Amino acid sequence: AAFISIQAFPALLDLPQELEVSTVSCGSRHTAAVTRGGELYTWGWGKYGQLGHGNNVSSDQARRVEYLVAKGLHVEDVVCGPWTTYVRV
């Protein structure tokens, strides 16, 4: 099982330099960020598939949700629930 560090306080996150984040939402153990370009990045605990990567893998690194890119969808907003992620495209 992957170890995922849980941060009780805000922490810096490394994203590729060219990305500008417009919206961030935090669930109970995961986080999602929308870029100004309309892409969704998620990280944290993924046991219930709430990261949107098509699996139940957790990740300490922000990863782009490729499914939305492949479908040509532009993300406008995101809201994380306890074990869910809601995305408006």
Side-chain angles (χ1 to χ4, degrees), residues 25-28 30 32 48-51 78-87:
S25 183
C26 300
S28 60
H30 72 292
Y48 299 109
Q50 65 269 38
L51 300 182
V78 65
V79 176
C80 294
W83 295 291
T84 57
T85 304
Y86 303 96
V87 180

Side-chain angles (χ1 to χ4, degrees), residues 10-64:
L12 291 175
L13 175 69
D14 289 326
L15 290 173
Q17 249 182 327
E18 67 277 2
L19 295 180
E20 294 182 24
V21 174
S22 61
T23 304
V24 175
S25 183
C26 300
S28 60
R29 295 181 184 174
H30 72 292
T31 305
V34 178
T35 68
R36 293 197 191 282
E39 296 178 327
L40 180 67
Y41 285 77
T42 60
W43 62 98
W45 191 54
K47 183 175 182 177
Y48 299 109
Q50 65 269 38
L51 300 182
H53 300 294
N55 56 40
N56 295 344
V57 176
S58 299
S59 174
D60 270 339
Q61 301 296 318
R63 293 179 44 214
R64 184 172 73 170

